[in-house]
Amino acid sequence: MPETASSDPAANPSTQELVWLWQRQPDSTDLEKALILAHMVPAGWLPSLQHRYAEGDRVRFTYDGKSLLGTVVQDQGMYLAIAGERPGSGFTIHKTDVRPHDAEPAAPVDPVIDTAIDPHPDPVIRREGHTATAYWNLGRSTEDGWLPWARLHIAFQPDIGFVATLSSIEERDHAGEHRERQRPLDPVVVHHQPTRRPSHHAVRTCLRAAIDIVISAAGQRQPVVCAHFVPTLAAAQEG
């Protein structure tokens, strides 16, 4: 996974530009976005790394110094699994060595954020065992009664440590039944804290660092973070 934004004072995200890259979700072929410090991405790489490929896309790629044609089998975040033209040939190629067959790589269109985003520094927090979740009430209910929230979830992942993922949900209580659904925005990993084993101290440390990063990213008007704090998705739909 890409090295996500750090809470180290020497790499304070409030003073350095943040960008995002695709990465695979744990135990899944689905992708999510991860914030990293912009200086960690070599110049000119970002459009290639942010381009999202679909199964079946035709691509041109470089392998062993040769330019080849192939078909995308799977977008793995930083890499593509590609079936070559020769029957039975397959490749795993870094995205910087791949181009769409008839276009240039490009990032998805950023969501449009036309309001000031200022997440409260002390959101509602729920803890359970070695997990924690911070919630920001977005303060506006839809016509059908769904209430939107931004949610920052801290969970332990073996071989990685604690990971902080920002997403957004809507919930509704109707006829005695509580329902919850994801809003149609990509989740964003904002921070990860390496540790060999879970602990309550590590949960608290990761949570506080992640909240600070979210607030800093919102202050930078980072669209993939700000989108989760916009109540009306029409103003924040991702491309």
Side-chain angles (χ1 to χ4, degrees), residues 138 149-151 166-170 181-183 185 227-228:
L138 303 186
W149 297 77
R151 180 169 70 179
L166 178 68
S167 62
S168 46
I169 62 170
E170 292 176 323
R181 66 186 184 188
Q182 289 287 131
R183 302 171 80 207
L185 293 166
H228 290 280

Side-chain angles (χ1 to χ4, degrees), residues 73-89:
V73 176
Q74 184 183 77
D75 189 330
Q76 300 174 346
M78 298 281 283
Y79 292 83
L80 290 180
I82 300 172
E85 295 285 89
R86 183 167 52 84
S89 63

Side-chain angles (χ1 to χ4, degrees), residues 177-198:
E177 179 185 11
H178 180 80
R179 295 183 59 194
E180 182 179 298
R181 66 186 184 188
Q182 289 287 131
R183 302 171 80 207
L185 293 166
D186 291 313
V188 184
V189 174
V190 300
H191 180 58
H192 86 273
Q193 180 173 311
T195 183
R196 293 183 177 180
R197 59 182 61 88

Side-chain angles (χ1 to χ4, degrees), residues 13-14 18 35 212-223 225-226:
S14 66
L18 295 168
L35 287 186
D212 290 345
I213 290 168
V214 166
I215 292 171
S216 295
Q220 293 180 24
R221 297 188 64 80
Q222 173 57 246
V225 169
C226 290

Side-chain angles (χ1 to χ4, degrees), residues 35-81:
L35 287 186
I36 68 167
L37 294 169
H39 70 78
M40 297 175 65
V41 181
W45 280 26
L46 201 58
S48 294
L49 295 177
Q50 289 185 341
H51 191 95
R52 181 79 178 265
Y53 292 87
E55 182 180 354
D57 283 354
R58 296 285 289 163
V59 294
R60 183 173 292 278
F61 63 99
T62 302
Y63 178 76
D64 199 21
K66 299 177 181 179
S67 179
L68 303 173
L69 287 172
T71 302
V72 172
V73 176
Q74 184 183 77
D75 189 330
Q76 300 174 346
M78 298 281 283
Y79 292 83
L80 290 180

Side-chain angles (χ1 to χ4, degrees), residues 4-7 125 127 130-134 136 152-157 160-165 189-195 199-214:
T4 45
S6 169
S7 59
I125 295 174
R127 294 184 173 89
H130 291 119
T131 65
T133 307
W136 287 269
L152 181 64
H153 185 62
I154 313 298
F156 182 78
Q157 295 180 12
I160 295 176
F162 280 99
V163 176
T165 304
V189 174
V190 300
H191 180 58
H192 86 273
Q193 180 173 311
T195 183
S199 71
H200 295 297
H201 173 74
V203 173
R204 290 192 298 271
T205 302
C206 185
L207 177 63
R208 188 66 260 172
I211 290 172
D212 290 345
I213 290 168
V214 166

